[in-house]
Amino acid sequence: MPFVPFAGRRRLATLVLLLSGCVVALSLQVRRPGGQTVAEGWLLDVLGLGVRSVTGLREAVGALRERVSGRERLLARNDALESQVLQLERELSILRDAERERQRLLALYSAHPLAPPASRVARMVSLVTAGPFHSALLDRGRAEGLEVAGVVVGVHGLLGRVVGTGDQTARVQLLSDRLAAVGVLLPRSGRVAVARGSGTAGISVEYVPVVADVVAGDLVVTSGTDGIYPRDLPVGTIETVRKGGTSLFLELPVRLTAKPESETTVFVFPPLAPRESGSDPTSLLPAPRSSGRGSPARRAP
Amino acid sequence: MKPLRFAAGLAGAVLGTFGLGAVSIPSSPDLFLLFVADNARGGTVYRAMATGLVAGLLEDLLRTPPRLLGLHVFTKVLLGYLLATAETRFVVEKSSWAAGLLAGAVLVESLALALLLSLFRGEPLHWGGQEAVVRALLTAAAGSALAVLVRIPWRARFAARRRRRVR
């Protein structure tokens, strides 16, 4: 008989295994004081576990389904609310713009209650102040009735005049432009003078004799004598009073009251009518329309 | 293992057990143990244990009250192992030795059953007493008789008788 190592142990192990299986099987069938066997208890426990698992799974599936449907519902609602919010924000933006526009217009009309009926409201959409030539761009043009030589006025005062028009735009020469000039009046002393653009940030009043009664802070308004701008429009205040050596005239830099960078909504008054008998071309009241060609206003700087 | 012989032995054990029960004999030999012992001859432990497993399972299914499946499987596997081991350690030639082994096996089984019942059912430890001894004796007698019958060269005797008839 061939020698097989550990054969006896293997047999014994098999025996122990089989006997242990029997013991386990028997122990599973033993009745407990409660009236059921261990195996029944285990079986019921396993079944209970299965039942609980199935119930839990069913509940989880239901909850998941409900959650998914709820999520879809919420997503749809969220989309609707988002679009509604966007719509409302758009409306709010429009309303805010309208309100802002209304406030500007109110400010404009309160600042210029006697604006001519043909005046137009425009927005200053672009400002070019680099270099000696200062200009701005309006979002209104010929289509809205703007004409060359129209007077551009902000809430705080005069800004310039229209020097070119397109269908939907108009170009404005600002007062600070080096080639701009405007007839002014110093109301406190009643002196009439001419103000020129400095090409930097303001204007200066010229041709005021050194003997004139001018002090810093004097108000400067349009005189209406240039035939371009109507009278009594605020221009600025005398910043300082300097005497230029042997010169017969004072150097009077003016701080403009209307800052182009802060004036977004402006009035564009129609060009002044040419001087006619019995009419005041510098009046803000409406005048009969006629061709302005050859008038002094056109020859103005 | 010859399957046919195995099946016939198993069927004989089942039918014999039920047959003896049908004639209302107060005590009867353990035919399942004889079946296991027959398969333990030659010292094949695995075969003996497998036979014990099958026989014990069948006995449990047929005889044991419910919820005690495995009771006789335990004892029969144990006895199969012990009988096969004894076959390998001792040379069992005489039928009286086989009878003694079988009687001892019946007593061991009775003791093991009592132990298991006491352990799992809480019943008082009762090894079987006189009934176990009678059963052991009956089993031993049956076993020795079977051993004698098995050792008879039946084929040679049939062949000789056939030869005598031919002459």
Side-chain angles (χ1 to χ4, degrees), chain A residues 82-114:
Chain A
E82 272 186 359
S83 61
Q84 194 175 352
V85 165
L86 280 176
Q87 177 70 21
L88 287 174
E89 281 181 350
R90 204 174 296 126
E91 287 179 6
L92 182 64
S93 178
I94 292 170
L95 286 174
R96 278 181 178 161
D97 284 349
E99 174 63 17
R100 216 172 286 132
E101 193 71 23
R102 190 182 74 89
Q103 294 291 340
R104 287 189 195 118
L105 287 174
L106 276 175
L108 268 179
Y109 276 103
S110 61
H112 307 286
L114 296 178

PDB file of all heavy atoms in Angstrom, chain A residues 82-114:
ATOM      1  N   GLU A  82     -36.225  81.257 -13.699  1.00  0.00           N
ATOM      2  CA  GLU A  82     -35.050  81.967 -14.213  1.00  0.00           C
ATOM      3  C   GLU A  82     -35.422  82.870 -15.377  1.00  0.00           C
ATOM      4  O   GLU A  82     -35.000  84.031 -15.441  1.00  0.00           O
ATOM      5  CB  GLU A  82     -34.003  80.949 -14.657  1.00  0.00           C
ATOM      6  CG  GLU A  82     -33.075  80.521 -13.542  1.00  0.00           C
ATOM      7  CD  GLU A  82     -31.956  79.626 -14.040  1.00  0.00           C
ATOM      8  OE1 GLU A  82     -31.942  79.338 -15.241  1.00  0.00           O
ATOM      9  OE2 GLU A  82     -31.139  79.209 -13.213  1.00  0.00           O
ATOM     10  N   SER A  83     -36.232  82.315 -16.289  1.00  0.00           N
ATOM     11  CA  SER A  83     -36.644  83.146 -17.420  1.00  0.00           C
ATOM     12  C   SER A  83     -37.491  84.308 -16.941  1.00  0.00           C
ATOM     13  O   SER A  83     -37.383  85.431 -17.448  1.00  0.00           O
ATOM     14  CB  SER A  83     -37.395  82.308 -18.443  1.00  0.00           C
ATOM     15  OG  SER A  83     -38.542  81.765 -17.845  1.00  0.00           O
ATOM     16  N   GLN A  84     -38.321  84.005 -15.904  1.00  0.00           N
ATOM     17  CA  GLN A  84     -39.155  85.083 -15.376  1.00  0.00           C
ATOM     18  C   GLN A  84     -38.289  86.157 -14.727  1.00  0.00           C
ATOM     19  O   GLN A  84     -38.523  87.356 -14.897  1.00  0.00           O
ATOM     20  CB  GLN A  84     -40.129  84.495 -14.354  1.00  0.00           C
ATOM     21  CG  GLN A  84     -41.259  85.438 -13.993  1.00  0.00           C
ATOM     22  CD  GLN A  84     -42.264  84.753 -13.074  1.00  0.00           C
ATOM     23  OE1 GLN A  84     -42.181  83.563 -12.844  1.00  0.00           O
ATOM     24  NE2 GLN A  84     -43.185  85.521 -12.555  1.00  0.00           N
ATOM     25  N   VAL A  85     -37.276  85.660 -13.970  1.00  0.00           N
ATOM     26  CA  VAL A  85     -36.377  86.615 -13.329  1.00  0.00           C
ATOM     27  C   VAL A  85     -35.647  87.440 -14.381  1.00  0.00           C
ATOM     28  O   VAL A  85     -35.497  88.663 -14.238  1.00  0.00           O
ATOM     29  CB  VAL A  85     -35.385  85.859 -12.422  1.00  0.00           C
ATOM     30  CG1 VAL A  85     -34.224  86.752 -12.031  1.00  0.00           C
ATOM     31  CG2 VAL A  85     -36.086  85.366 -11.173  1.00  0.00           C
ATOM     32  N   LEU A  86     -35.198  86.755 -15.444  1.00  0.00           N
ATOM     33  CA  LEU A  86     -34.519  87.489 -16.515  1.00  0.00           C
ATOM     34  C   LEU A  86     -35.438  88.538 -17.121  1.00  0.00           C
ATOM     35  O   LEU A  86     -35.026  89.680 -17.363  1.00  0.00           O
ATOM     36  CB  LEU A  86     -34.054  86.515 -17.595  1.00  0.00           C
ATOM     37  CG  LEU A  86     -32.759  85.761 -17.301  1.00  0.00           C
ATOM     38  CD1 LEU A  86     -32.484  84.767 -18.413  1.00  0.00           C
ATOM     39  CD2 LEU A  86     -31.612  86.754 -17.197  1.00  0.00           C
ATOM     40  N   GLN A  87     -36.684  88.108 -17.362  1.00  0.00           N
ATOM     41  CA  GLN A  87     -37.654  89.045 -17.935  1.00  0.00           C
ATOM     42  C   GLN A  87     -37.859  90.227 -17.004  1.00  0.00           C
ATOM     43  O   GLN A  87     -37.864  91.395 -17.433  1.00  0.00           O
ATOM     44  CB  GLN A  87     -38.969  88.294 -18.185  1.00  0.00           C
ATOM     45  CG  GLN A  87     -40.095  89.157 -18.725  1.00  0.00           C
ATOM     46  CD  GLN A  87     -39.813  89.586 -20.157  1.00  0.00           C
ATOM     47  OE1 GLN A  87     -39.019  88.954 -20.848  1.00  0.00           O
ATOM     48  NE2 GLN A  87     -40.439  90.667 -20.578  1.00  0.00           N
ATOM     49  N   LEU A  88     -38.007  89.889 -15.708  1.00  0.00           N
ATOM     50  CA  LEU A  88     -38.235  90.961 -14.737  1.00  0.00           C
ATOM     51  C   LEU A  88     -37.012  91.867 -14.626  1.00  0.00           C
ATOM     52  O   LEU A  88     -37.149  93.098 -14.509  1.00  0.00           O
ATOM     53  CB  LEU A  88     -38.563  90.354 -13.366  1.00  0.00           C
ATOM     54  CG  LEU A  88     -39.949  89.720 -13.254  1.00  0.00           C
ATOM     55  CD1 LEU A  88     -40.112  89.019 -11.922  1.00  0.00           C
ATOM     56  CD2 LEU A  88     -41.026  90.783 -13.422  1.00  0.00           C
ATOM     57  N   GLU A  89     -35.820  91.227 -14.659  1.00  0.00           N
ATOM     58  CA  GLU A  89     -34.612  92.052 -14.602  1.00  0.00           C
ATOM     59  C   GLU A  89     -34.519  92.974 -15.815  1.00  0.00           C
ATOM     60  O   GLU A  89     -34.110  94.135 -15.703  1.00  0.00           O
ATOM     61  CB  GLU A  89     -33.383  91.147 -14.534  1.00  0.00           C
ATOM     62  CG  GLU A  89     -33.127  90.589 -13.142  1.00  0.00           C
ATOM     63  CD  GLU A  89     -31.894  89.705 -13.101  1.00  0.00           C
ATOM     64  OE1 GLU A  89     -31.369  89.396 -14.191  1.00  0.00           O
ATOM     65  OE2 GLU A  89     -31.489  89.331 -11.996  1.00  0.00           O
ATOM     66  N   ARG A  90     -34.912  92.389 -16.960  1.00  0.00           N
ATOM     67  CA  ARG A  90     -34.899  93.217 -18.170  1.00  0.00           C
ATOM     68  C   ARG A  90     -35.874  94.388 -18.035  1.00  0.00           C
ATOM     69  O   ARG A  90     -35.531  95.543 -18.309  1.00  0.00           O
ATOM     70  CB  ARG A  90     -35.276  92.344 -19.363  1.00  0.00           C
ATOM     71  CG  ARG A  90     -34.772  92.881 -20.674  1.00  0.00           C
ATOM     72  CD  ARG A  90     -35.045  91.899 -21.797  1.00  0.00           C
ATOM     73  NE  ARG A  90     -34.353  90.651 -21.647  1.00  0.00           N
ATOM     74  CZ  ARG A  90     -34.926  89.450 -21.667  1.00  0.00           C
ATOM     75  NH1 ARG A  90     -36.227  89.353 -21.848  1.00  0.00           N
ATOM     76  NH2 ARG A  90     -34.212  88.362 -21.522  1.00  0.00           N
ATOM     77  N   GLU A  91     -37.070  94.021 -17.540  1.00  0.00           N
ATOM     78  CA  GLU A  91     -38.067  95.090 -17.363  1.00  0.00           C
ATOM     79  C   GLU A  91     -37.589  96.111 -16.342  1.00  0.00           C
ATOM     80  O   GLU A  91     -37.767  97.322 -16.522  1.00  0.00           O
ATOM     81  CB  GLU A  91     -39.393  94.472 -16.905  1.00  0.00           C
ATOM     82  CG  GLU A  91     -40.115  93.712 -18.009  1.00  0.00           C
ATOM     83  CD  GLU A  91     -41.403  93.094 -17.517  1.00  0.00           C
ATOM     84  OE1 GLU A  91     -41.775  93.349 -16.358  1.00  0.00           O
ATOM     85  OE2 GLU A  91     -42.027  92.340 -18.294  1.00  0.00           O
ATOM     86  N   LEU A  92     -36.966  95.573 -15.275  1.00  0.00           N
ATOM     87  CA  LEU A  92     -36.463  96.481 -14.246  1.00  0.00           C
ATOM     88  C   LEU A  92     -35.382  97.385 -14.817  1.00  0.00           C
ATOM     89  O   LEU A  92     -35.352  98.591 -14.516  1.00  0.00           O
ATOM     90  CB  LEU A  92     -35.908  95.658 -13.079  1.00  0.00           C
ATOM     91  CG  LEU A  92     -35.377  96.457 -11.894  1.00  0.00           C
ATOM     92  CD1 LEU A  92     -36.505  97.250 -11.246  1.00  0.00           C
ATOM     93  CD2 LEU A  92     -34.724  95.547 -10.868  1.00  0.00           C
ATOM     94  N   SER A  93     -34.525  96.787 -15.631  1.00  0.00           N
ATOM     95  CA  SER A  93     -33.483  97.595 -16.245  1.00  0.00           C
ATOM     96  C   SER A  93     -34.087  98.672 -17.133  1.00  0.00           C
ATOM     97  O   SER A  93     -33.664  99.836 -17.097  1.00  0.00           O
ATOM     98  CB  SER A  93     -32.563  96.687 -17.054  1.00  0.00           C
ATOM     99  OG  SER A  93     -31.585  97.433 -17.698  1.00  0.00           O
ATOM    100  N   ILE A  94     -35.096  98.252 -17.897  1.00  0.00           N
ATOM    101  CA  ILE A  94     -35.758  99.235 -18.773  1.00  0.00           C
ATOM    102  C   ILE A  94     -36.406 100.324 -17.940  1.00  0.00           C
ATOM    103  O   ILE A  94     -36.307 101.529 -18.243  1.00  0.00           O
ATOM    104  CB  ILE A  94     -36.801  98.515 -19.660  1.00  0.00           C
ATOM    105  CG1 ILE A  94     -36.083  97.609 -20.660  1.00  0.00           C
ATOM    106  CG2 ILE A  94     -37.683  99.510 -20.377  1.00  0.00           C
ATOM    107  CD1 ILE A  94     -37.001  96.677 -21.415  1.00  0.00           C
ATOM    108  N   LEU A  95     -37.085  99.876 -16.861  1.00  0.00           N
ATOM    109  CA  LEU A  95     -37.747 100.847 -15.999  1.00  0.00           C
ATOM    110  C   LEU A  95     -36.733 101.773 -15.336  1.00  0.00           C
ATOM    111  O   LEU A  95     -36.971 102.992 -15.216  1.00  0.00           O
ATOM    112  CB  LEU A  95     -38.568 100.128 -14.928  1.00  0.00           C
ATOM    113  CG  LEU A  95     -39.862  99.487 -15.430  1.00  0.00           C
ATOM    114  CD1 LEU A  95     -40.524  98.682 -14.343  1.00  0.00           C
ATOM    115  CD2 LEU A  95     -40.812 100.565 -15.928  1.00  0.00           C
ATOM    116  N   ARG A  96     -35.598 101.178 -14.928  1.00  0.00           N
ATOM    117  CA  ARG A  96     -34.570 102.020 -14.309  1.00  0.00           C
ATOM    118  C   ARG A  96     -34.018 103.015 -15.316  1.00  0.00           C
ATOM    119  O   ARG A  96     -33.803 104.194 -14.996  1.00  0.00           O
ATOM    120  CB  ARG A  96     -33.451 101.142 -13.771  1.00  0.00           C
ATOM    121  CG  ARG A  96     -33.779 100.559 -12.421  1.00  0.00           C
ATOM    122  CD  ARG A  96     -32.632  99.711 -11.907  1.00  0.00           C
ATOM    123  NE  ARG A  96     -32.911  99.188 -10.604  1.00  0.00           N
ATOM    124  CZ  ARG A  96     -32.286  98.155 -10.070  1.00  0.00           C
ATOM    125  NH1 ARG A  96     -31.351  97.537 -10.764  1.00  0.00           N
ATOM    126  NH2 ARG A  96     -32.571  97.730  -8.867  1.00  0.00           N
ATOM    127  N   ASP A  97     -33.800 102.507 -16.534  1.00  0.00           N
ATOM    128  CA  ASP A  97     -33.331 103.421 -17.574  1.00  0.00           C
ATOM    129  C   ASP A  97     -34.352 104.522 -17.817  1.00  0.00           C
ATOM    130  O   ASP A  97     -33.993 105.706 -17.948  1.00  0.00           O
ATOM    131  CB  ASP A  97     -33.082 102.649 -18.867  1.00  0.00           C
ATOM    132  CG  ASP A  97     -31.788 101.858 -18.807  1.00  0.00           C
ATOM    133  OD1 ASP A  97     -31.014 102.096 -17.860  1.00  0.00           O
ATOM    134  OD2 ASP A  97     -31.573 101.004 -19.679  1.00  0.00           O
ATOM    135  N   ALA A  98     -35.609 104.086 -17.861  1.00  0.00           N
ATOM    136  CA  ALA A  98     -36.667 105.073 -18.099  1.00  0.00           C
ATOM    137  C   ALA A  98     -36.732 106.072 -16.950  1.00  0.00           C
ATOM    138  O   ALA A  98     -36.887 107.289 -17.167  1.00  0.00           O
ATOM    139  CB  ALA A  98     -38.012 104.361 -18.257  1.00  0.00           C
ATOM    140  N   GLU A  99     -36.594 105.535 -15.738  1.00  0.00           N
ATOM    141  CA  GLU A  99     -36.629 106.426 -14.586  1.00  0.00           C
ATOM    142  C   GLU A  99     -35.437 107.378 -14.611  1.00  0.00           C
ATOM    143  O   GLU A  99     -35.569 108.585 -14.345  1.00  0.00           O
ATOM    144  CB  GLU A  99     -36.639 105.592 -13.298  1.00  0.00           C
ATOM    145  CG  GLU A  99     -36.530 106.388 -12.016  1.00  0.00           C
ATOM    146  CD  GLU A  99     -37.705 107.328 -11.814  1.00  0.00           C
ATOM    147  OE1 GLU A  99     -38.735 107.136 -12.490  1.00  0.00           O
ATOM    148  OE2 GLU A  99     -37.586 108.265 -11.000  1.00  0.00           O
ATOM    149  N   ARG A 100     -34.275 106.793 -14.950  1.00  0.00           N
ATOM    150  CA  ARG A 100     -33.087 107.631 -15.023  1.00  0.00           C
ATOM    151  C   ARG A 100     -33.262 108.701 -16.097  1.00  0.00           C
ATOM    152  O   ARG A 100     -32.951 109.883 -15.899  1.00  0.00           O
ATOM    153  CB  ARG A 100     -31.888 106.758 -15.348  1.00  0.00           C
ATOM    154  CG  ARG A 100     -30.628 107.211 -14.665  1.00  0.00           C
ATOM    155  CD  ARG A 100     -29.523 106.201 -14.873  1.00  0.00           C
ATOM    156  NE  ARG A 100     -29.710 105.019 -14.087  1.00  0.00           N
ATOM    157  CZ  ARG A 100     -29.612 103.780 -14.560  1.00  0.00           C
ATOM    158  NH1 ARG A 100     -29.369 103.586 -15.826  1.00  0.00           N
ATOM    159  NH2 ARG A 100     -29.781 102.751 -13.770  1.00  0.00           N
ATOM    160  N   GLU A 101     -33.828 108.255 -17.204  1.00  0.00           N
ATOM    161  CA  GLU A 101     -34.083 109.189 -18.293  1.00  0.00           C
ATOM    162  C   GLU A 101     -35.090 110.259 -17.859  1.00  0.00           C
ATOM    163  O   GLU A 101     -34.928 111.444 -18.179  1.00  0.00           O
ATOM    164  CB  GLU A 101     -34.628 108.408 -19.494  1.00  0.00           C
ATOM    165  CG  GLU A 101     -34.660 109.185 -20.787  1.00  0.00           C
ATOM    166  CD  GLU A 101     -33.250 109.419 -21.326  1.00  0.00           C
ATOM    167  OE1 GLU A 101     -32.342 108.661 -20.973  1.00  0.00           O
ATOM    168  OE2 GLU A 101     -33.073 110.400 -22.068  1.00  0.00           O
ATOM    169  N   ARG A 102     -36.082 109.774 -17.126  1.00  0.00           N
ATOM    170  CA  ARG A 102     -37.105 110.734 -16.661  1.00  0.00           C
ATOM    171  C   ARG A 102     -36.472 111.770 -15.727  1.00  0.00           C
ATOM    172  O   ARG A 102     -36.745 112.973 -15.827  1.00  0.00           O
ATOM    173  CB  ARG A 102     -38.214 109.968 -15.936  1.00  0.00           C
ATOM    174  CG  ARG A 102     -39.448 110.783 -15.606  1.00  0.00           C
ATOM    175  CD  ARG A 102     -40.460 109.958 -14.845  1.00  0.00           C
ATOM    176  NE  ARG A 102     -40.038 109.741 -13.464  1.00  0.00           N
ATOM    177  CZ  ARG A 102     -40.321 110.558 -12.461  1.00  0.00           C
ATOM    178  NH1 ARG A 102     -41.046 111.644 -12.696  1.00  0.00           N
ATOM    179  NH2 ARG A 102     -39.905 110.320 -11.237  1.00  0.00           N
ATOM    180  N   GLN A 103     -35.603 111.243 -14.823  1.00  0.00           N
ATOM    181  CA  GLN A 103     -34.946 112.171 -13.908  1.00  0.00           C
ATOM    182  C   GLN A 103     -34.080 113.168 -14.679  1.00  0.00           C
ATOM    183  O   GLN A 103     -34.063 114.366 -14.379  1.00  0.00           O
ATOM    184  CB  GLN A 103     -34.081 111.390 -12.902  1.00  0.00           C
ATOM    185  CG  GLN A 103     -34.875 110.512 -11.940  1.00  0.00           C
ATOM    186  CD  GLN A 103     -35.688 111.344 -10.961  1.00  0.00           C
ATOM    187  OE1 GLN A 103     -35.405 112.515 -10.733  1.00  0.00           O
ATOM    188  NE2 GLN A 103     -36.739 110.725 -10.427  1.00  0.00           N
ATOM    189  N   ARG A 104     -33.387 112.655 -15.668  1.00  0.00           N
ATOM    190  CA  ARG A 104     -32.545 113.554 -16.454  1.00  0.00           C
ATOM    191  C   ARG A 104     -33.393 114.592 -17.183  1.00  0.00           C
ATOM    192  O   ARG A 104     -33.055 115.774 -17.229  1.00  0.00           O
ATOM    193  CB  ARG A 104     -31.746 112.744 -17.471  1.00  0.00           C
ATOM    194  CG  ARG A 104     -30.634 111.943 -16.846  1.00  0.00           C
ATOM    195  CD  ARG A 104     -29.762 111.367 -17.946  1.00  0.00           C
ATOM    196  NE  ARG A 104     -28.914 110.318 -17.427  1.00  0.00           N
ATOM    197  CZ  ARG A 104     -28.946 109.053 -17.819  1.00  0.00           C
ATOM    198  NH1 ARG A 104     -29.794 108.683 -18.742  1.00  0.00           N
ATOM    199  NH2 ARG A 104     -28.127 108.170 -17.296  1.00  0.00           N
ATOM    200  N   LEU A 105     -34.477 114.058 -17.739  1.00  0.00           N
ATOM    201  CA  LEU A 105     -35.348 114.985 -18.464  1.00  0.00           C
ATOM    202  C   LEU A 105     -35.957 116.017 -17.519  1.00  0.00           C
ATOM    203  O   LEU A 105     -36.063 117.204 -17.860  1.00  0.00           O
ATOM    204  CB  LEU A 105     -36.451 114.209 -19.177  1.00  0.00           C
ATOM    205  CG  LEU A 105     -35.991 113.416 -20.396  1.00  0.00           C
ATOM    206  CD1 LEU A 105     -37.123 112.572 -20.946  1.00  0.00           C
ATOM    207  CD2 LEU A 105     -35.484 114.371 -21.476  1.00  0.00           C
ATOM    208  N   LEU A 106     -36.358 115.523 -16.346  1.00  0.00           N
ATOM    209  CA  LEU A 106     -36.896 116.458 -15.358  1.00  0.00           C
ATOM    210  C   LEU A 106     -35.853 117.513 -14.996  1.00  0.00           C
ATOM    211  O   LEU A 106     -36.153 118.715 -14.916  1.00  0.00           O
ATOM    212  CB  LEU A 106     -37.325 115.702 -14.095  1.00  0.00           C
ATOM    213  CG  LEU A 106     -38.717 115.074 -14.119  1.00  0.00           C
ATOM    214  CD1 LEU A 106     -38.956 114.265 -12.861  1.00  0.00           C
ATOM    215  CD2 LEU A 106     -39.771 116.168 -14.258  1.00  0.00           C
ATOM    216  N   ALA A 107     -34.617 116.984 -14.798  1.00  0.00           N
ATOM    217  CA  ALA A 107     -33.563 117.933 -14.459  1.00  0.00           C
ATOM    218  C   ALA A 107     -33.327 118.908 -15.597  1.00  0.00           C
ATOM    219  O   ALA A 107     -33.160 120.130 -15.394  1.00  0.00           O
ATOM    220  CB  ALA A 107     -32.282 117.162 -14.130  1.00  0.00           C
ATOM    221  N   LEU A 108     -33.334 118.356 -16.831  1.00  0.00           N
ATOM    222  CA  LEU A 108     -33.141 119.212 -17.995  1.00  0.00           C
ATOM    223  C   LEU A 108     -34.239 120.266 -18.105  1.00  0.00           C
ATOM    224  O   LEU A 108     -33.984 121.459 -18.288  1.00  0.00           O
ATOM    225  CB  LEU A 108     -33.130 118.369 -19.264  1.00  0.00           C
ATOM    226  CG  LEU A 108     -31.786 117.869 -19.768  1.00  0.00           C
ATOM    227  CD1 LEU A 108     -31.994 117.033 -21.006  1.00  0.00           C
ATOM    228  CD2 LEU A 108     -30.880 119.037 -20.075  1.00  0.00           C
ATOM    229  N   TYR A 109     -35.489 119.813 -17.970  1.00  0.00           N
ATOM    230  CA  TYR A 109     -36.608 120.744 -18.143  1.00  0.00           C
ATOM    231  C   TYR A 109     -36.697 121.727 -16.977  1.00  0.00           C
ATOM    232  O   TYR A 109     -37.115 122.878 -17.159  1.00  0.00           O
ATOM    233  CB  TYR A 109     -37.932 119.976 -18.283  1.00  0.00           C
ATOM    234  CG  TYR A 109     -38.158 119.514 -19.705  1.00  0.00           C
ATOM    235  CD1 TYR A 109     -37.938 118.200 -20.068  1.00  0.00           C
ATOM    236  CD2 TYR A 109     -38.582 120.426 -20.677  1.00  0.00           C
ATOM    237  CE1 TYR A 109     -38.126 117.773 -21.356  1.00  0.00           C
ATOM    238  CE2 TYR A 109     -38.761 120.005 -21.986  1.00  0.00           C
ATOM    239  CZ  TYR A 109     -38.541 118.675 -22.329  1.00  0.00           C
ATOM    240  OH  TYR A 109     -38.725 118.277 -23.613  1.00  0.00           O
ATOM    241  N   SER A 110     -36.318 121.235 -15.799  1.00  0.00           N
ATOM    242  CA  SER A 110     -36.339 122.186 -14.687  1.00  0.00           C
ATOM    243  C   SER A 110     -35.202 123.189 -14.822  1.00  0.00           C
ATOM    244  O   SER A 110     -35.305 124.339 -14.402  1.00  0.00           O
ATOM    245  CB  SER A 110     -36.251 121.447 -13.350  1.00  0.00           C
ATOM    246  OG  SER A 110     -35.052 120.719 -13.289  1.00  0.00           O
ATOM    247  N   ALA A 111     -34.085 122.718 -15.411  1.00  0.00           N
ATOM    248  CA  ALA A 111     -32.971 123.650 -15.614  1.00  0.00           C
ATOM    249  C   ALA A 111     -33.244 124.597 -16.774  1.00  0.00           C
ATOM    250  O   ALA A 111     -32.758 125.732 -16.774  1.00  0.00           O
ATOM    251  CB  ALA A 111     -31.694 122.878 -15.879  1.00  0.00           C
ATOM    252  N   HIS A 112     -33.979 124.140 -17.710  1.00  0.00           N
ATOM    253  CA  HIS A 112     -34.276 124.983 -18.893  1.00  0.00           C
ATOM    254  C   HIS A 112     -35.772 124.971 -19.141  1.00  0.00           C
ATOM    255  O   HIS A 112     -36.254 124.342 -20.084  1.00  0.00           O
ATOM    256  CB  HIS A 112     -33.519 124.450 -20.109  1.00  0.00           C
ATOM    257  CG  HIS A 112     -32.052 124.280 -19.875  1.00  0.00           C
ATOM    258  ND1 HIS A 112     -31.175 125.355 -19.799  1.00  0.00           N
ATOM    259  CD2 HIS A 112     -31.279 123.181 -19.662  1.00  0.00           C
ATOM    260  CE1 HIS A 112     -29.949 124.902 -19.562  1.00  0.00           C
ATOM    261  NE2 HIS A 112     -30.006 123.591 -19.475  1.00  0.00           N
ATOM    262  N   PRO A 113     -36.502 125.637 -18.303  1.00  0.00           N
ATOM    263  CA  PRO A 113     -37.973 125.621 -18.475  1.00  0.00           C
ATOM    264  C   PRO A 113     -38.435 126.321 -19.751  1.00  0.00           C
ATOM    265  O   PRO A 113     -39.542 126.071 -20.238  1.00  0.00           O
ATOM    266  CB  PRO A 113     -38.474 126.350 -17.225  1.00  0.00           C
ATOM    267  CG  PRO A 113     -37.338 127.170 -16.765  1.00  0.00           C
ATOM    268  CD  PRO A 113     -36.105 126.446 -17.155  1.00  0.00           C
ATOM    269  N   LEU A 114     -37.584 127.168 -20.275  1.00  0.00           N
ATOM    270  CA  LEU A 114     -38.002 127.906 -21.472  1.00  0.00           C
ATOM    271  C   LEU A 114     -37.337 127.355 -22.734  1.00  0.00           C
ATOM    272  O   LEU A 114     -37.076 128.095 -23.677  1.00  0.00           O
ATOM    273  CB  LEU A 114     -37.658 129.395 -21.314  1.00  0.00           C
ATOM    274  CG  LEU A 114     -38.403 130.117 -20.185  1.00  0.00           C
ATOM    275  CD1 LEU A 114     -37.939 131.578 -20.087  1.00  0.00           C
ATOM    276  CD2 LEU A 114     -39.908 130.083 -20.428  1.00  0.00           C
TER     277      LEU A 114
END
